[in-house]
Amino acid sequence: MMRFNVFSKRLKQAMGSETNYAFAKRSGISEPLLRKYLSGVSIPSMEKAWKMAVAANVSLDWLAGNTPLHNTNQTKIRSSLNPRPGDLDISFTGGIKHTFVGFNVRLRKAMGDETPCMFAKKSGVSGSSLHNYLKGLVVPSIEKACRMANVANVSLDWLASGCRARSQLSQKILSSSDKDVQEYIPLYEPSFLNRKRPWRHSSNILTHLAFSAHSLHEQGLNPNQLLAIPVMGDSMAGVLKDGDIVMIDLERNQLDAEAIYVVLLNGQLYAKRLQRLFDGSVRIINENKSYSDVVVEKAHLSNIEIIGRVIWFCGWT
């Protein structure tokens, strides 16, 4: 049986520094309900848990404290393309609008030749409840869904979405003492540079980059607050080339020292070196001196939004 404190603890970790209000809005649930989940007073339905897992960019199996025995039609991989948004039955328009469909069909498939009576007994659910799940009349709690997934030997992610799930791709907040554990940081496609705040939207993820959980922990980094994007253009040539990959720490979104940051300016994202001047203004520095530096006066700093600090980059030599 899943322990309530496991779910609430992992939900807090998955949310990171995001406020309850913002996370609840993106997840499509009420803030009072989210507070109940965080305190362990209440446990969500499988549907609500799936919405929160999608919003937090973690696997449902991890969020529920569940360890799948093996996943239907899934292969464990280190790096792969993310599923299309249509495969996840999710559309993003000012927050998550989630259509939770097909669970009952996948549950019946997962049961195989097992009789409903025997499957219900093994899963610790009543026969009438299982009947309602199979008819699509009711969605189980995430706790009961865990038990059924384990009995059926399938992952919660597959049971919820019917596609290759995040369980092999997304970040796992695990003990840093295990140096073999990998964290998977999402790499976003270039086209998302034209959209404001696209991170956590699975439709824009190209693949995931594997990093040692131990090394990230040693650097004091929270994997849930990291993302990677490709550099576009040659304005930072000499340090960053067109096509290089940079990883950003979203928690470091204040100009605390001269460094390279990703900033949002006029609806576009740029990787630039920022330098605070004595009068409070900020110089935006281009490493390629074919481009002029720009000084933003203190009165106009609100026009620049620092998304995060570049903490790692790589590219072809």
Side-chain angles (χ1 to χ4, degrees), residues 257-271:
E258 181 176 331
I260 298 176
Y261 296 83
V262 169
V263 298
L264 181 65
L265 182 61
N266 297 324
Q268 294 279 347
L269 287 176
Y270 301 93

Side-chain angles (χ1 to χ4, degrees), residues 3-60:
R3 296 171 296 168
F4 282 30
N5 62 335
V6 170
F7 182 88
S8 60
K9 180 180 178 181
R10 292 195 175 187
L11 181 58
K12 290 174 186 175
Q13 288 179 291
M15 286 174 58
S17 60
E18 188 166 11
T19 65
N20 290 355
Y21 173 79
F23 186 78
K25 185 176 181 181
R26 289 197 307 104
S27 302
I29 61 176
S30 70
E31 188 178 359
L33 198 55
L34 175 62
R35 288 198 296 269
K36 289 183 179 180
Y37 299 152
L38 289 169
S39 65
V41 171
S42 183
I43 196 74
S45 69
M46 187 182 187
E47 180 178 4
K48 286 185 170 61
W50 172 241
K51 288 181 179 181
M52 288 186 282
V54 171
N57 194 31
V58 297
S59 80
L60 183 59

